[in-house]
């Protein structure tokens, strides 16, 4: 066996060791990148869906429908629109000046490992739950009620 054969064999082993060391880092970076892109997509869709749901369910409520029922209807629409298992939505409302109502919604995004359920840690690096909130103020007039 010549000197060139021994060197080639050692370099092949070195490349394998470098790959074994670098693979977890590459996997963590890929998981973070995929989850970040997924979260940004969820946020963009959530913002549009939330505004549409408030306009549909809260700006012209049915006779006798209170703000809590409006919140429940908005939350149901948002849950149906997202239907992902790693996304939870919460809607609340509060009164603001001049009889207006501020509707707030928060979406919570649990990270996944490329779509599969994920332990909150990948190779010791924890991926936190991400959240995004949106608020819109509307005038919830009561149709059919004269004041």
């Amino acid at each position: 066996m010549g000197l060139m054969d021994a060197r080639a064999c050692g370099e092949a082993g070195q490349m394998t060791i470098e790959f074994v060391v670098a693979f977890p880092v590459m996997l963590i970076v890929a998981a973070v990148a995929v989850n970040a892109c997924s979260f940004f997509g969820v946020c963009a869709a959530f913002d549009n869906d939330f505004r549409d749901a408030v306009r549909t369910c809260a700006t012209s409520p049915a006779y006798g429908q209170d703000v809590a029922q409006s919140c429940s209807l908005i939350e149901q629409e948002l849950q149906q629109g997202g239907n992902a298992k790693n996304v939870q939505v919460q809607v609340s409302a509060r009164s603001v000046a001049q009889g207006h109502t501020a509707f707030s919604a928060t979406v919570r995004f649990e990270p996944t490992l490329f779509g599969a359920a994920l332990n909150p840690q990948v190779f010791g690096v924890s991926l936190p739950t991400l959240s995004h909130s949106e608020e819109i103020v509307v005038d919830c007039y009561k149709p059919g009620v004269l004041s």
Side-chain angles (χ1 to χ4, degrees):
M1 185 184 228
L3 184 60
M4 293 298 280
D5 291 337
R7 188 178 305 161
C9 182
E11 288 175 1
Q14 179 182 355
M15 188 183 305
T16 302
I17 299 297
E18 288 172 354
F19 175 75
V20 168
V21 170
F23 181 72
V25 174
M26 292 185 303
L27 187 62
I28 291 168
V29 169
V32 168
V34 167
N35 280 299
C37 290
S38 295
F39 176 66
F40 294 142
V42 165
C43 289
F46 172 77
D47 288 348
N48 289 330
D49 292 345
F50 174 64
R51 289 185 194 112
D52 289 342
V54 169
R55 281 191 295 261
T56 303
C57 301
T59 57
S60 182
Y63 182 74
Q65 178 179 325
D66 62 359
V67 175
Q69 291 169 329
S70 295
C71 287
S72 178
L73 290 172
I74 294 167
E75 195 169 304
Q76 286 173 7
E77 280 200 26
L78 293 174
Q79 290 288 0
Q80 290 172 356
N83 73 13
K85 293 180 181 178
N86 63 327
V87 175
Q88 295 87 29
V89 177
Q90 182 180 9
V91 178
S92 63
R94 61 184 171 81
S95 293
V96 292
Q98 299 174 352
H100 292 86
T101 304
F103 288 91
S104 301
T106 301
V107 62
R108 297 198 189 291
F109 179 85
E110 297 283 336
T112 64
L113 186 57
F114 309 110
L118 174 68
N119 186 351
Q121 290 189 350
V122 177
F123 296 112
V125 176
S126 71
L127 299 174
T129 299
L130 303 172
S131 66
H132 170 71
S133 296
E134 182 72 18
E135 183 175 273
I136 187 168
V137 177
V138 296
D139 182 10
C140 299
Y141 73 90
K142 299 291 183 189
V145 176
L146 302 175
S147 51

